[in-house]
Amino acid sequence: MMNKRFLPFLLLFALAFSSASAQNNRIHDTNYNGWYMYFGNHKLTDKLGLHTELQVRQYKVITEQQQIMPRFALTYNLSDRAMVAAGYAYVHTYPYGDNPASDDFPEQRIFQQLQLKDQQGIFGLQHRFRLEQRWLKFAGAQDYTYLNRARYQFRVNIPLQGPSIEDREFYLGVYDEVFLNFGPNVTNNIFDQNRAYVALGFRFHKDANLEVGYLHHHVAQRNGIWFEDNHTLQVGLNYNLDFRKKTAE
C-alpha cells in the first residue's frame, strides 16, 4: 500500500529529472569514481539510537581524492516501520573531472529525515525523505554560502535465496534518489542530482551486511552548463551495535 501512496512523489521527481535532462546547451563530463563506505545504526534504548557513517570517495575509482564525509545523527523509532533522525555531516570536496573547482573546499551540513519501511511479498521497501541545510565555502570564497536541499530515496531489497533475507544469504539492493535545491542562493538549477544504484549484498547476520554495486550519478553543476555522468563503484559495510543495558536473567 505504501508504494502506491508515494507514487505521486515518484512521478514528480521523474518529471523533474526528465526536464533537467532535456536541454541541449549543456556539456557532459564523464568520470569513473569509487565510493567506500561504512554505516552503523546503534541502539541506545528501545527507541533512541545513534547513526554513524564515514564515506571516502575517490576519483578514477581509487587513485585520486574526490570527497571525504563523516556523518552522524540521533535516531528515534516512531514504530517498527517509521524512524526520524537529525544529524550533522562534514563534507570536504577535492578538484576532479574535466571541469574541476580551482581548489578543495569544505561544507558544514545539518539534516533531518523520515524513513519508512514496508514489506510487499518478497520485496522490502524503504522510503527516505531528507531535508538538508548546507553551508559551503566554495573555492576562493571568503564566506560560506547557505543552501537548502530536499532528497527522496526509494529503495527495494530482494532476497535471492528464499522468500526473505536471512543470515549468510545474498540479496539484491536497488534504489533511486533525487536531490532538489530550494530557497535562497539557488542559481541555475533546481535539480541538483540523481543517483540510480544496483548492488549485490550479503547478510552476515542481522546486524552486519556488505554491498558491492554500481551507481550512476548524474550531477548538475551550479553554472547550469556542466553536467556530470559519473560511473561509480560502491562498496558499503553496515555494522550495527547494541548499547542497551542487558537485564540480568
Side-chain angles (χ1 to χ4, degrees), residues 19 21 30-31 37-38 71 117-118 201 206-207 212 239 247:
S19 175
S21 302
T30 299
N31 302 298
M37 306 169 293
Y38 155 78
R71 177 161 46 201
K117 296 189 297 182
D118 195 14
K206 67 181 181 64
D207 288 319
V212 179
Y239 191 81
T247 57

Side-chain angles (χ1 to χ4, degrees), residues 37-41 51-55 236-240:
M37 306 169 293
Y38 155 78
F39 305 94
N41 290 303
H51 173 83
T52 56
E53 180 178 334
L54 177 64
Q55 298 195 31
L237 173 67
N238 291 267
Y239 191 81
N240 306 320

Side-chain angles (χ1 to χ4, degrees), residues 9-29:
F9 290 96
L10 294 173
L11 294 174
L12 174 63
F13 292 134
L15 289 171
F17 177 69
S18 298
S19 175
S21 302
Q23 300 183 23
N24 297 319
N25 60 340
R26 294 174 174 175
I27 302 171
H28 288 265
D29 176 18

Side-chain angles (χ1 to χ4, degrees), residues 51 73-76 83-87 111-115 129-130:
H51 173 83
L74 285 175
T75 64
Y76 186 81
M83 180 176 71
V84 292
F111 67 96
Q112 309 80 39
Q113 75 177 32
L114 169 66
Q115 186 170 298
F129 304 86
R130 181 179 290 175

Side-chain angles (χ1 to χ4, degrees), residues 84-131:
V84 292
Y88 167 80
Y90 173 78
V91 186
H92 201 94
T93 302
Y94 299 88
Y96 71 94
D98 291 337
N99 185 41
S102 59
D103 201 353
D104 56 299
F105 61 91
E107 175 187 345
Q108 312 281 345
R109 181 190 303 176
I110 58 175
F111 67 96
Q112 309 80 39
Q113 75 177 32
L114 169 66
Q115 186 170 298
L116 304 174
K117 296 189 297 182
D118 195 14
Q119 190 73 32
Q120 297 291 329
I122 66 170
F123 301 103
L125 309 180
Q126 180 179 288
H127 304 267
R128 190 179 74 188
F129 304 86
R130 181 179 290 175
L131 290 175

Side-chain angles (χ1 to χ4, degrees), residues 223-237:
N223 58 24
I225 298 174
W226 280 86
F227 281 71
E228 299 177 22
D229 286 299
N230 297 328
H231 302 287
T232 303
L233 168 69
Q234 282 200 176
V235 180
L237 173 67

Side-chain angles (χ1 to χ4, degrees), residues 123-168:
F123 301 103
L125 309 180
Q126 180 179 288
H127 304 267
R128 190 179 74 188
F129 304 86
R130 181 179 290 175
L131 290 175
E132 296 177 331
Q133 299 81 49
R134 310 167 66 208
W135 290 265
L136 293 91
K137 193 173 185 180
F138 292 109
Q142 296 299 314
D143 300 313
Y144 281 85
T145 299
Y146 174 73
L147 296 167
N148 292 298
R149 190 165 66 183
R151 301 167 54 169
Y152 169 68
Q153 182 191 98
F154 176 65
R155 178 178 174 120
V156 182
N157 288 331
I158 307 166
L160 296 179
Q161 296 176 256
S164 61
I165 303 173
E166 304 296 340
D167 293 352
R168 297 179 295 281

